[in-house]
């Protein structure tokens, strides 16, 4: 497997927060908090992964389905979030896994830090007391390296999740350079980003994809297809 260094991660010391990484098997998190909480974060991720692995052993379709599945009453918290997000977005449950793990890890840290940002493979959950900016990575065309979202503290906790047909290892059935969705629920943001990216196969699909995300519970969406940009909802782009 080729290792891709995540150049967008900044570990520079800051008076506002400490940045650290947590890696557990294939889960690779970048976290910002008031102090190094890697022990607590690692313990949380190991528990979440164990619960999901045990659930998959009992329900193998959970891992492979590209469509929503009925949620068993015995589903652990992360799986329950993923079932719900998939049902709303129209995806398989695994489309929401990164967002679910980011959110549940972040929530576990809130008792030790008032502000927390957890990034999981480009999918983010955050709780802020002051504004912050999230950079969007959108391929190699006109908007490459130029897009950022301003996130206000009153809009958090929230998820900011991105799906791309050209960046990263995830399966995509669309052709969008990047679709970023914001939602109060990071699992839902993750699943909607996947579905809306799948829906964009040409410029004529952008508006319908934006409308779909907002109809399904997104608070905002940014879609990039080559040199075209679509934005809807509560999104403040900054330069």
């Amino acid at each position: 497997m080729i290792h891709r260094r995540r150049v967008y991660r900044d570990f520079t010391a800051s008076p506002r927060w400490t940045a650290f990484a947590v890696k557990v098997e294939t889960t690779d998190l970048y976290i910002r908090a008031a102090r190094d909480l890697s022990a607590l974060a690692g313990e949380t991720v190991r528990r979440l992964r164990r619960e999901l692995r045990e659930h998959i052993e009992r329900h193998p379709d959970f891992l492979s389905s590209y469509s929503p599945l009925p949620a068993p009453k015995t589903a652990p918290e992360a799986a329950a979030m993923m079932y719900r997000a998939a049902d709303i977005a129209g995806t398989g449950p695994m489309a929401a896994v990164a967002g679910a793990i980011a959110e549940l890890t972040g929530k576990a840290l809130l008792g030790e830090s008032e502000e927390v940002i957890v990034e999981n493979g480009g999918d983010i959950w955050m709780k802020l007391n002051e504004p912050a900016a999230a950079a969007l990575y959108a391929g190699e065309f006109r908007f490459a390296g130029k897009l950022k979202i301003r996130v206000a503290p009153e809009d958090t906790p929230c998820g900011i999740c991105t799906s791309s047909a050209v960046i990263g290892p995830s399966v995509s059935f669309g052709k969008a350079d990047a679709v970023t969705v914001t939602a109060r629920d990071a699992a839902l943001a993750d699943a909607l980003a996947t579905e809306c990216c799948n829906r964009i196969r040409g410029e004529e699909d952008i508006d319908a994809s934006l409308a779909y995300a907002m109809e399904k519970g997104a608070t905002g969406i940014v879609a990039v297809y080559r040199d075209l940009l679509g934005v809807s909802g509560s999104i403040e782009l900054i330069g």
Side-chain angles (χ1 to χ4, degrees), residues 17-227:
W17 41 43
T18 296
F20 54 95
V22 172
K23 297 181 181 180
V24 179
E25 300 175 27
T26 58
T27 299
D28 182 359
L29 305 183
Y30 168 80
I31 301 174
R32 290 186 180 188
R35 57 187 177 86
D36 188 336
L37 298 170
S38 53
L40 176 56
E43 177 185 335
T44 301
V45 173
R46 283 188 289 274
R47 173 180 59 81
L48 294 172
R49 288 185 61 92
R50 181 180 67 252
E51 291 173 351
L52 285 174
R53 184 165 54 246
E54 291 171 352
H55 184 73
I56 290 168
E57 289 174 356
R58 295 190 297 272
H59 305 278
D61 286 351
F62 182 86
L63 180 64
S64 58
S65 178
Y66 288 116
S67 302
L69 297 171
K73 293 182 178 180
T74 57
E77 186 176 16
M81 291 174 64
M82 294 162 64
Y83 278 115
R84 176 183 177 275
D87 187 57
I88 295 171
T91 65
M94 289 301 292
V97 65
I101 289 178
E103 177 165 337
L104 291 176
T105 302
K107 286 181 174 178
L109 304 183
L110 284 179
E112 304 293 333
S113 177
E114 291 187 357
E115 289 194 302
V116 176
I117 298 175
V118 180
E119 178 262 312
N120 184 10
D123 296 316
I124 299 169
W125 181 86
M126 62 172 64
K127 170 65 175 70
L128 303 176
N129 290 339
E130 300 292 337
L136 307 185
Y137 289 82
E140 301 178 352
F141 292 94
R142 174 182 174 187
F143 300 104
K146 298 179 180 179
L147 297 177
K148 292 182 181 179
I149 295 176
R150 180 185 183 274
V151 184
E154 59 267 24
D155 293 331
T156 69
C158 72
I160 304 175
C161 298
T162 300
S163 182
S164 172
V166 298
I167 302 171
S170 298
V171 174
S172 177
F173 299 108
K175 295 183 178 180
D177 294 273
V179 174
T180 297
V181 171
T182 62
R184 288 294 187 177
D185 178 334
L188 179 59
D190 196 1
L192 282 174
T194 297
E195 178 61 19
C196 291
C197 186
N198 287 342
R199 287 169 174 256
I200 298 177
R201 296 180 174 86
E203 60 182 86
E204 67 278 5
D205 300 320
I206 295 174
D207 287 345
S209 181
L210 301 181
Y212 184 84
M214 299 306 298
E215 174 190 336
K216 295 297 183 177
T219 55
I221 177 172
V222 179
V224 177
Y225 174 77
R226 297 184 177 271
D227 290 335

